[in-house]
Amino acid sequence: MKNKILDILYASMESNVSGQAICRELGVSRTAVWKNVKMLVAQGYDIESFGGKGYTLHGKTDVLNKYEIDRRNKFHVSVIYKEVVDSTNMLARNIAIETIEEFTMVAAGKQTRGRGRLGRDFESDNKKGVWCSFIMKPRMVPEKALLITIAAAIAVCKTLLEICGIKTGIKWPNDIIANGKKICGILSEMSCETGAIEYIITGIGINVLQKKEEFSPEIEKTATSVFMETGREYRRSEIISALCYNMQEAYKMVKNGNYETIMKNWKKYSATDGKTIRIIKNGKTIIVQAVGIDEKGRLVTINNNGEKESYNSGEISVRGIMGYI
Ligand code: BTN
């Protein structure tokens, strides 16, 4: 019933809806409406109540739940939402084994054991960010999986530009940086069966509402958030819904082999192209220039002797771009 009440209140947002009208429309008692409104307020909705005369929903609050994601979900992607999980990537993995859906989003209010690349932890034990994972089941060879991570990075940059007006860049293959600091991390994990992808999970963590002092000392100097970049408290539901849309577009781009669009977008958002970078491979550091990516999403570099080389993710670590380490 809560969702139906929200439907009615959203349809007349910022204006008074009489309690009687809600009762009539839903065929329930005034007490039932009042009880459900109380629960919505406890969830964080800003609903003003006029002593039995009616209710007004104010739209400035940041409530994140399945309803808020679904109501903005243009593509009707299947969405699973949990208030608290250990890691959306872990939950996604369990779902991926069972589901027959080709594209599913798993999102959480907070993660108690957010996972980063190279076995690191990812700071997300708070309700300040967008923490989600996409489960994709494409019929595709595993060699193309890196392109999904690249396309996901493009989807994040697009979303942050469209919704928050922030210009970000991709530090190949999966860090999103704003003004030299990390605003988002991406972790893709894949399972393969007889030479084909069984499922790929792409986890995305965007820092949204954190203030500088709210980051742990370990990442305080290298991390940033949407709030720190804009001074505004954007709603996580708005960002996550736009991301869900852009991510589905990105997925289609890779699935349909639309490389021209991927390359065009890569050039638009790359923070590495044309830059001198340090590559760390098997403990050795090489200084090269980043040229771009190839059709598999591998990083293409050129050295002082004019020799070109392509690198896969996992094979190397990239350092020394725009101040972000
Ligand atoms: C990195 O920067 O090392 C990658 C970070 C990926 C974090 C996201 S948050 C949602 C999803 N669930 C996880 O446990 N990790 C990813």
Side-chain angles (χ1 to χ4, degrees):
M1 190 196 305
K2 287 199 292 293
N3 291 355
K4 285 190 179 144
I5 294 177
L6 281 173
D7 286 343
I8 298 170
L9 293 179
Y10 265 119
S12 304
M13 201 151 85
E14 301 297 343
S15 46
N16 184 50
V17 182
S18 85
Q20 212 174 10
I22 303 175
C23 295
R24 217 179 308 122
E25 199 163 328
L26 302 183
V28 295
S29 70
R30 265 168 184 260
T31 321
V33 171
W34 176 76
K35 273 190 183 154
N36 279 278
V37 167
K38 235 171 77 168
M39 285 194 261
L40 289 169
V41 171
Q43 272 178 36
Y45 285 98
D46 184 3
I47 302 173
E48 205 176 344
S49 156
F50 298 93
K53 288 205 184 71
Y55 303 97
T56 298
L57 172 66
H58 300 290
K60 56 185 184 293
T61 42
D62 174 45
V63 182
L64 185 62
N65 55 31
K66 184 169 159 55
Y67 175 88
E68 288 299 325
I69 300 170
D70 279 343
R71 110 187 156 80
R72 297 176 169 93
N73 186 347
K74 288 190 228 166
F75 263 53
H76 305 291
V77 168
S78 116
V79 171
I80 292 156
Y81 177 84
K82 301 265 182 237
E83 278 294 312
V84 185
V85 291
D86 48 0
S87 149
T88 55
N89 266 36
M90 300 276 270
L91 177 60
R93 199 188 296 172
N94 296 336
I95 296 165
I97 298 162
E98 303 285 322
T99 187
I100 51 158
E101 298 259 2
E102 189 181 349
F103 191 95
T104 308
M105 180 173 81
V106 180
K110 68 174 188 172
Q111 304 188 111
T112 53
R113 282 198 59 200
R115 297 169 57 225
R117 280 183 76 214
L118 310 169
R120 297 189 190 119
D121 290 339
F122 184 78
E123 212 165 288
S124 46
D125 197 358
N126 57 62
K127 293 190 171 183
K128 305 253 167 189
V130 160
W131 322 126
C132 63
S133 301
F134 293 89
I135 305 166
M136 292 158 280
K137 297 191 140 187
R139 272 199 205 136
M140 204 187 268
V141 288
E143 287 73 42
K144 286 197 182 157
L146 177 57
L147 270 185
I148 292 195
T149 301
I150 302 275
I154 291 169
V156 172
C157 293
K158 228 171 153 217
T159 303
L160 290 176
L161 188 62
E162 281 169 4
I163 304 295
C164 319
I166 307 174
K167 279 197 184 141
T168 52
I170 308 166
K171 174 179 169 276
W172 183 90
N174 55 357
D175 279 351
I176 311 297
I177 52 180
N179 284 317
K181 293 190 172 174
K182 179 162 163 175
I183 195 163
C184 165
I186 300 173
L187 175 67
S188 284
E189 297 173 293
M190 173 169 70
S191 166
C192 295
E193 231 175 35
T194 54
I197 294 176
E198 185 194 0
Y199 61 79
I200 173 158
I201 290 163
T202 297
I204 299 179
I206 308 177
N207 300 324
V208 179
L209 296 162
Q210 293 95 332
K211 299 187 174 81
K212 191 175 169 22
E213 62 277 12
E214 286 172 335
F215 287 115
S216 69
E218 291 83 56
I219 62 166
E220 191 202 30
K221 285 197 175 69
T222 52
T224 189
S225 68
V226 170
F227 176 77
M228 283 164 67
E229 295 304 313
T230 62
R232 281 188 55 186
E233 294 187 339
Y234 282 90
R235 277 188 287 267
R236 289 167 301 157
S237 53
E238 208 172 324
I239 297 174
I240 207 169
S241 306
L243 177 65
C244 191
Y245 178 87
N246 287 329
M247 188 59 202
Q248 205 182 38
E249 292 282 283
Y251 173 68
K252 282 199 271 177
M253 207 159 66
V254 177
K255 213 178 100 171
N256 300 337
N258 196 346
Y259 300 117
E260 228 171 87
T261 317
I262 298 172
M263 292 303 165
K264 211 173 88 197
N265 277 292
W266 169 261
K267 283 198 171 67
K268 183 171 172 188
Y269 295 115
S270 165
T272 34
D273 282 13
K275 300 254 167 43
T276 301
I277 54 168
R278 280 185 296 140
I279 282 184
I280 302 168
K281 189 180 174 190
N282 301 330
K284 269 173 95 186
T285 302
I286 326 164
I287 310 281
V288 287
Q289 196 183 2
V291 180
I293 53 168
D294 66 12
E295 288 209 342
K296 287 180 177 158
R298 293 179 305 186
L299 180 71
V300 181
T301 63
I302 191 159
N303 67 14
N304 278 343
N305 303 326
E307 290 154 351
K308 276 193 174 177
E309 188 87 51
S310 297
Y311 295 99
N312 236 313
S313 79
E315 196 183 354
I316 55 162
S317 169
V318 178
R319 303 277 163 85
I321 303 130
M322 287 167 67
Y324 173 68
I325 306 161

